[in-house]
Amino acid sequence: MKPRQPIIITILIVLGLISGAFFMFTQSSEFFSSAIFWVTLVLGGVVVFINNSLNKLIDIKKYNMLTEEEKEEYKRLLKIPYFQRLKQSAVEKQGDKDEKDMIIDHGFDGILELDNALPKWWLGLFYFGVAYCIIYLTSYAFTEFAHPYAEYDKEVAQANIEIEEYWKNAPKITIDNAEYNPDNIAEGKQLFETTCVSCHKEGGAGGIGPNLTDDYWINIKEKGLFKNVFYMVYNGSENNPAMRAFGKDGEIPGRDIEKIAAYVYYINQDIPNIAGGAAPQGEKATWNDAR
Ligand code: HEC
């Protein structure tokens, strides 16, 4: 017969398991202020105490059935502090005397098999693993704990907030500070394809809206081509409401107009007069610095 683990240790383990489970399910330490947590804790404590009292009764019965020698051994073990006893039983080998009790009765050729108890540390780890598994799997399946999709959504939402914040504080791009930058052409092309292609056709060939690849322009509002495109996309056309004021109406921010204008500048200057483009409209423009 061996002395049992002190009740305070059991209480600490139960406290740890309950807190761990609550943390996994709720994903924050706010559960400390919730009534459910404290009720669970009290119930857990009551169960531990009931278990402890039952164990005591069992131990008394068992103790009375021991021989004098075994009683002495039990008393000796009781005197060893708990953690020292734990270490002994966890890592130290059993003595020869213990081994005699463990022999399984099917030895052969003088080789005997012992029915060794599994090491305590191993068993402890195993039970912890089982408990952890159950808590983890249930919280994974039924809550948002450690869920890659939920975590991804959360991070994307946070990143979007940060991007919005960044653009709120970033300097606004207007017709005055917009600049042509060839690095913007690729992104400008994508934006053009989502917003402008319906009227100006693929590559700016012209349809409802005029051909953007020729030298003829209905609206000449700025001296440079790049700024003229920026102006048109920002303010729209006075003659035709189909060409709406994308910038002024807040539909496209200045930083995107800068990119779109870079693309239109590129198709007009670097690959002019697209094959099969719409007939020229307006007058021949001569841009001063072409930007
Ligand atoms: C709903 C159709 C429509 C859409 C969408 C549209 N446009 Fe236009 N756009 C027009 C029309 C029509 C004109 C001619 C306006 C006029 O007669 O003054 C025009 C004119 C222009 C002009 C001036 C051309 C000139 O010869 O004066 C530019 C530059 C231009 N659009 C660029 C764009 C860009 C860039 C986009 C996308 C952000 C866009 N447009 C979206 C219909 C459209």
Side-chain angles (χ1 to χ4, degrees):
M1 180 176 166
K2 288 191 175 145
R4 290 187 192 267
Q5 148 182 307
I7 185 167
I8 178 73
I9 302 289
T10 319
I11 286 177
L12 285 178
I13 290 174
V14 168
L15 180 76
L17 282 178
I18 291 178
S19 307
F22 267 85
F23 179 74
M24 274 194 175
F25 278 106
T26 60
Q27 279 295 284
S28 80
S29 49
E30 278 165 24
F31 64 82
F32 271 119
S33 48
S34 91
I36 301 179
F37 172 71
W38 292 104
V39 169
T40 316
L41 219 57
V42 170
L43 286 179
V46 170
V47 171
V48 170
F49 274 106
I50 292 173
N51 180 52
N52 193 53
S53 317
L54 289 175
N55 283 342
K56 268 190 184 150
L57 288 178
I58 294 170
D59 282 358
I60 292 171
K61 268 248 147 64
K62 271 189 173 173
Y63 183 80
N64 289 334
M65 280 151 57
L66 295 180
T67 62
E68 275 314 306
E69 201 181 318
E70 284 169 332
K71 279 182 186 166
E72 283 309 309
E73 172 66 8
Y74 181 71
K75 281 187 203 153
R76 188 187 69 80
L77 283 175
L78 262 187
K79 278 189 205 125
I80 307 174
Y82 170 69
F83 285 106
Q84 202 176 327
R85 237 190 300 141
L86 191 70
K87 184 175 149 256
Q88 274 173 9
S89 68
V91 299
E92 282 167 16
K93 284 176 75 177
Q94 65 266 7
D96 290 347
K97 190 186 126 319
D98 296 334
E99 276 191 1
K100 249 184 233 132
D101 303 335
M102 292 177 193
I103 293 172
I104 301 174
D105 194 20
H106 61 219
F108 184 76
D109 239 4
I111 300 169
L112 298 173
E113 194 180 331
L114 298 184
D115 184 16
N116 264 317
L118 287 164
K120 284 258 174 68
W121 64 263
W122 193 96
L123 267 182
L125 210 60
F126 175 70
Y127 290 134
F128 176 77
V130 171
Y132 188 85
C133 233
I134 293 171
I135 294 173
Y136 190 95
L137 276 180
T138 24
S139 54
Y140 182 89
F142 301 112
T143 77
E144 304 221 311
F145 174 74
H147 227 287
Y149 292 135
E151 276 176 13
Y152 174 81
D153 289 346
K154 217 165 132 188
E155 275 171 34
V156 167
Q158 179 58 29
N160 282 338
I161 290 171
E162 277 165 24
I163 290 170
E164 214 164 276
E165 194 62 26
Y166 171 80
W167 284 120
K168 236 185 247 164
N169 301 325
K172 292 256 182 307
I173 290 179
T174 63
I175 192 156
D176 296 322
N177 61 9
E179 275 176 22
Y180 170 77
N181 180 353
D183 293 345
N184 284 337
I185 293 172
E187 264 189 88
K189 180 172 195 275
Q190 284 183 356
L191 292 161
F192 187 89
E193 278 166 6
T194 38
T195 324
C196 323
V197 154
S198 53
C199 296
H200 290 280
K201 287 285 170 315
E202 198 71 37
I208 300 169
N211 187 337
L212 297 176
T213 70
D214 60 20
D215 288 337
Y216 291 83
W217 290 73
I218 304 168
N219 303 272
I220 300 177
K221 301 288 186 181
E222 296 281 327
K223 295 193 186 86
L225 169 59
F226 173 77
K227 293 265 161 136
N228 198 56
V229 177
F230 195 109
Y231 179 97
M232 288 308 295
V233 180
Y234 190 85
N235 296 293
S237 165
E238 294 157 4
N239 324 317
N240 191 333
M243 181 60 203
R244 51 193 195 272
F246 292 96
K248 232 190 225 166
D249 296 349
E251 191 177 333
I252 304 179
R255 58 175 188 275
D256 283 350
I257 298 181
E258 188 182 43
K259 290 172 190 161
I260 297 173
Y263 173 67
V264 174
Y265 176 89
Y266 161 77
I267 53 174
N268 186 279
Q269 295 293 294
D270 294 358
I271 41 166
N273 301 318
I274 192 169
Q281 280 172 277
E283 50 184 293
K284 193 165 168 43
T286 38
W287 307 109
N288 67 348
D289 60 353
R291 286 193 186 172

